[in-house]
């Protein structure tokens, strides 16, 4: 049987491979021999990672008429080199270090690593990693920074709650959000010196008024000046982080404007909100040309189990380590979707019963990524929920019909088919 493969059949004639460090890099250029056909020559040079040295590297590559520049994704050191050479007009590729690891047992130096990388790339023996264009990269920096700020604010709120527990203030046991309007008034009053539980409880308003008797008991503790000092600093830090989050969000909304149509389509998915849609676009992008099918996107995101077979035995395979920022967004979307009365919610609850919460989250994340791929691949596509009764009304019904037909065939010994028009079995 002949198998079609995607590997190129021709060598890259003029290739440059770069082994990158923090302060210096080693570049290896391999080009055809000028006089001997079929022979190749290589030259290795070392450059500093300063801008002036990188410009000299670009001039040398231009003189060598290099067609492709490849480099390993070494920490964040590859970024300035990649971005500068990309701006200079070179076709750059970023490679996973695991995919181009040198043969063990041989000497390992920066020069040999660059030569080996050049030989691997010129023969097409590795696939480049996905590097988004500049607008998506900048959007991703902002969304990731915003998520980091939100996490830091959450940690500060948790410190505040532990401080109140230390002072025997059980406010979080009565109020769901102690940083809401009523909670903030009480906290500010305690910082300013008010200690009377009756006075503090009367600061509640709105729907919290009916909990005043409980709050009087919850606010009876030993909150003193020491707790007030720490509480003041924590609240100030929470407010500062909230202001930074608002500013970053405003900047995100400016950069997401060119992709507003795609964000609106993703917002239609169950469990996906405005922020989740922004983060999905920042991590995945809007151009699905890098992912020929939805399965490629799911596999890239590590939301598909790895198939591991050896000696005729199937071994359990994990999904592997993927993009933690994308996984965090999908995890939040799955939690929200799992609580809804929709197809995705029904699918999550069915999977939880059989496979457990962790596998259900991965499976539903797989489904959501598949939906995202279709919505981003086709600008005219729209999300349509199949309904919470999809399994009961269609899947389970077909399964029940199939089981009954098999039972009838075993009883009668004849082939039974269903007449779809009358829904009556015909022998």
């Amino acid at each position: 049987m002949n198998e079609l493969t995607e590997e190129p059949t021709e060598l890259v004639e003029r290739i440059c491979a770069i082994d990158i460090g923090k302060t210096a890099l080693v570049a290896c250029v391999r080009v055809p021999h000028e006089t001997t056909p079929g022979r190749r020559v290589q030259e290795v040079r070392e450059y500093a990672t300063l801008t002036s040295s990188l410009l000299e590297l670009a001039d040398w590559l231009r003189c060598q008429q290099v067609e492709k520049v490849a480099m390993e994704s070494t920490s964040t050191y590859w970024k300035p080199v990649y971005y500068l050479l990309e701006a200079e007009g070179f076709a750059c590729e970023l490679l996973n270090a695991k995919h181009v690891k040198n043969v063990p047992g041989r000497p390992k130096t920066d020069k040999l690593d660059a030569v080996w990388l050049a030989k691997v790339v010129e023969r097409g023996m590795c696939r480049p990693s996905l590097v988004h264009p500049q607008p998506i990269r900048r959007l991703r920096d902002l969304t990731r920074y915003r998520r980091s700020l939100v996490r830091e604010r959450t940690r500060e709120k948790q410190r505040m709650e532990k401080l109140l527990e230390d002072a025997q203030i059980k406010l979080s046991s009565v109020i769901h959000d102690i940083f809401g309007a009523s909670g903030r008034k009480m906290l500010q009053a305690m910082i300013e010196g008010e200690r009377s539980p009756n006075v503090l409880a009367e600061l509640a308003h709105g729907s919290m008024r009916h909990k005043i008797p409980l709050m009087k008991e919850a606010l009876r503790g030993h909150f003193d000046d020491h707790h007030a000092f720490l509480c003041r600093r924590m609240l100030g830090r929470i407010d500062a982080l909230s202001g930074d989050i608002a500013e970053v969000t405003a900047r995100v909304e400016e950069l997401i404007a060119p992709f507003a149509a795609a964000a609106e389509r993703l917002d239609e998915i169950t469990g996906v909100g405005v922020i989740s849609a922004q983060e999905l676009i920042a991590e995945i992008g809007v151009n699905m040309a890098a992912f020929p099918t939805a399965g490629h996107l799911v596999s890239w995101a590590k939301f598909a189990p790895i198939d591991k077979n050896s000696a005729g035995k199937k071994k359990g395979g994990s999904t592997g380590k993927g993009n933690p920022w994308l996984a965090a967004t999908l995890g939040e979307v799955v939690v929200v979707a799992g609580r809804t009365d929709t197809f995705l919610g029904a699918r999550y609850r069915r999977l939880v019963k059989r496979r457990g919460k962790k596998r259900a989250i991965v499976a539903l994340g797989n489904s959501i990524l598949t939906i995202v791929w279709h919505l981003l691949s086709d600008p005219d596509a729209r999300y349509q929920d199949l309904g919470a009764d999809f399994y009961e009304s269609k899947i389970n019904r077909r399964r029940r019909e199939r089981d009954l037909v098999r039972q009838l065939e075993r009883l009668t010994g004849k082939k039974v088919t269903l007449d779809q028009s009358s829904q009556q079995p015909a022998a």
Side-chain angles (χ1 to χ4, degrees), residues 145 149 152-153 156 184 232-248:
Y145 183 57
L149 292 176
E152 181 59 33
R153 184 178 63 178
E156 203 67 30
R184 284 298 298 262
R232 185 187 300 275
R233 269 66 191 171
M234 292 179 183
L235 278 181
R237 184 164 176 79
I238 291 171
D239 293 339
L241 288 171
S242 298
D244 293 340
I245 292 171
E247 293 181 4
V248 174

Side-chain angles (χ1 to χ4, degrees), residues 174-176 201 207-216:
V174 181
I175 301 179
H176 177 68
S207 61
M208 295 290 104
R209 297 290 298 177
H210 72 281
K211 294 184 178 181
I212 289 180
L214 290 175
M215 283 189 282
K216 290 180 180 180

Side-chain angles (χ1 to χ4, degrees), residues 1-16:
M1 179 183 294
N2 295 327
E3 181 181 0
L4 297 178
T5 61
E6 300 178 1
E7 287 78 7
T9 57
E10 297 181 0
L11 299 179
V12 180
E13 288 192 356
R14 298 179 175 272
I15 183 71
C16 173

Side-chain angles (χ1 to χ4, degrees), residues 164-267:
L164 295 178
E165 289 290 335
D166 180 76
Q168 192 57 26
I169 302 297
K170 298 290 185 176
L171 192 60
S172 59
S173 301
V174 181
I175 301 179
H176 177 68
D177 183 13
I178 63 175
F179 300 96
S182 299
R184 284 298 298 262
K185 286 184 177 180
M186 297 175 191
L187 292 174
Q188 190 63 37
M190 286 191 291
I191 291 174
E192 294 174 356
E194 183 61 55
R195 299 291 183 267
S196 173
N198 296 333
V199 176
L200 293 172
E202 290 295 333
L203 295 176
H205 65 89
S207 61
M208 295 290 104
R209 297 290 298 177
H210 72 281
K211 294 184 178 181
I212 289 180
L214 290 175
M215 283 189 282
K216 290 180 180 180
E217 295 296 327
L219 291 167
R220 190 180 305 275
H222 48 81
F223 191 93
D224 54 20
D225 294 340
H226 170 72
H227 299 100
F229 175 84
L230 293 175
C231 188
R232 185 187 300 275
R233 269 66 191 171
M234 292 179 183
L235 278 181
R237 184 164 176 79
I238 291 171
D239 293 339
L241 288 171
S242 298
D244 293 340
I245 292 171
E247 293 181 4
V248 174
T249 300
R251 180 60 176 167
V252 169
E253 292 176 354
E254 293 179 7
L255 296 186
I256 202 70
F259 318 111
E264 291 177 1
R265 292 197 300 274
L266 296 185
D267 191 15

Side-chain angles (χ1 to χ4, degrees), residues 144-159:
R144 290 184 176 183
Y145 183 57
R146 178 177 60 185
R147 179 171 284 273
S148 299
L149 292 176
V150 171
R151 290 174 177 174
E152 181 59 33
R153 184 178 63 178
T154 301
R155 284 192 288 268
E156 203 67 30
K157 289 182 178 181
Q158 291 171 344
R159 295 188 187 103

Side-chain angles (χ1 to χ4, degrees), residues 255-367:
L255 296 186
I256 202 70
F259 318 111
E264 291 177 1
R265 292 197 300 274
L266 296 185
D267 191 15
E268 298 174 357
I269 304 175
T270 304
V272 177
V274 176
I275 293 179
S276 299
Q278 294 172 353
E279 292 178 348
L280 287 174
I281 291 177
E283 298 299 334
I284 299 174
V286 294
N287 185 9
M288 293 294 102
F291 309 106
T293 64
H296 286 79
L297 173 60
V298 173
S299 178
W300 171 80
K302 302 300 183 183
F303 268 75
I306 300 175
D307 191 13
K308 297 179 67 176
N309 295 324
S310 179
K313 296 182 180 180
K314 185 174 182 180
K315 302 180 180 180
S318 64
T319 59
K321 295 182 180 180
N323 185 338
W325 304 92
L326 177 59
T329 300
L330 288 174
E332 294 178 356
V333 172
V334 168
V335 170
V336 175
R339 299 172 180 172
T340 60
D341 189 20
T342 59
F343 167 75
L344 292 177
R347 175 171 171 75
Y348 175 78
R349 290 186 288 272
R350 283 169 56 88
L351 291 169
V352 165
K353 294 178 182 178
R354 297 185 292 108
R355 306 291 290 171
K357 290 186 177 180
K358 292 184 178 180
R359 286 186 171 88
I361 290 175
V362 174
L364 201 64
N366 186 314
S367 301

